[in-house]
Amino acid sequence: MSALIRKISITPNHVGYLYLKNRLRSKLAPGIYRFFDPLGNLSVISLPTTNRLQTVINQEVLTQDTVALRFSYIIEYRISDSDRYIERFDLHNAYAVTMEAEQLLHSLTQVYLRELIAKVVSEELNEKRDELLGTVPEVLQRDLKEYGLEITRLMLRDITFPKAIQDLFARQLESRIRAKSDLENARTAVATARTLKNASELMKDDENIKFFQLLETITKIAEKGKHTFVIGDMQPGVLNLKK
């Protein structure tokens, strides 16, 4: 008798749909179920209720300034309406439970992202990558709702420019860094010159400074062995030094 009992397990974070002779019989919450099935006419489909991730790679597109590039992105989605989901997709085996849904997600998001990137200039693409997919567009959500699906997040994974464009961007970045460094050096030089000028203005009329300058000048000249010399515009007469 136990051989005629069919054991069905619906794991956590899933919802089950029980079919008898390919006709929907009941909806099952997570748990262990046993059904009398002597003829093997029962079948079950288990759908995940948690968020899932899908990666779409190597998509080609032209930017607004006709630069060809490749991009990859990640779709985070969930089955928002399992009843509608099983009506719209062919779920004849375990592999097909999400296969057709992901094909649909791929196609719809691909069209949307290509149109979006085609409106952006290549130089601004990296800067705007977070803005591009900040929110999932309502039109995309509305189309997916008909299939019992909802996108919770779209994320650009990477953007790959042609080698020639990469080299051009690298040179532009190098020029910006060099220009910034030159600007900082120029500002430093101006600040130094301004400081020296201010110091010179302060020293110009200071008698103590003049006295120390006089002593320094006398010392240097005396070291050369000269006996007579004239210092600045000191008045009156000439200052004579002898060994």
Side-chain angles (χ1 to χ4, degrees), residues 59-231:
Q59 302 300 298
E60 294 185 356
V61 67
L62 285 177
T63 60
Q64 188 183 63
D65 49 347
T66 65
V67 173
L69 57 84
R70 290 178 177 270
F71 68 96
S72 302
Y73 62 98
I74 298 172
I75 308 168
E76 184 177 353
Y77 74 96
R78 70 184 186 93
I79 299 174
S80 57
D81 187 338
S82 57
D83 293 344
R84 184 172 293 182
Y85 185 89
I86 64 171
E87 292 175 359
R88 298 303 299 265
F89 295 105
D90 179 13
L91 309 178
H92 59 279
N93 58 54
Y95 176 68
V97 167
T98 57
M99 181 182 67
E100 288 190 2
E102 293 192 347
Q103 288 177 346
L104 176 68
L105 285 164
H106 183 168
S107 299
L108 292 182
T109 56
Q110 181 189 59
V111 171
Y112 168 73
L113 285 176
R114 283 181 174 176
E115 292 178 351
L116 194 63
I117 292 176
K119 298 176 182 178
V120 181
V121 178
S122 57
E123 289 185 71
E124 301 175 353
L125 193 54
N126 274 327
E127 299 175 2
K128 293 185 176 181
R129 62 185 301 162
D130 293 332
E131 300 177 16
L132 290 176
L133 302 180
T135 57
V136 182
E138 293 184 7
V139 62
L140 189 56
Q141 295 285 44
R142 186 170 60 250
D143 291 342
L144 291 172
K145 187 176 181 180
E146 297 298 319
Y147 295 86
L149 291 167
E150 178 187 3
I151 293 179
T152 57
R153 185 167 50 162
L154 282 174
M155 298 168 283
L156 271 178
R157 194 180 75 168
D158 54 57
I159 302 172
T160 305
F161 290 93
K163 185 63 168 58
I165 301 298
Q166 292 181 32
D167 293 341
L168 179 60
F169 286 167
R171 288 195 295 271
Q172 288 180 338
L173 178 60
E174 182 181 356
S175 297
R176 290 175 186 172
I177 294 174
R178 185 180 295 109
K180 185 176 180 181
S181 176
D182 292 343
L183 179 61
E184 290 299 323
N185 291 338
R187 287 175 176 171
T188 301
V190 170
T192 301
R194 186 179 292 114
T195 301
L196 292 174
K197 179 181 178 182
N198 293 338
S200 175
E201 292 295 329
L202 290 173
M203 294 169 58
K204 183 170 61 175
D205 299 322
D206 191 300
E207 296 299 329
N208 292 326
I209 296 296
K210 287 183 177 181
F211 177 72
F212 284 114
Q213 288 176 334
L214 174 62
L215 291 179
E216 182 180 4
T217 303
I218 293 173
T219 301
K220 289 181 179 179
I221 296 176
E223 288 175 352
K224 296 180 180 180
K226 294 183 179 180
H227 299 283
T228 303
F229 54 90
V230 177
I231 299 175

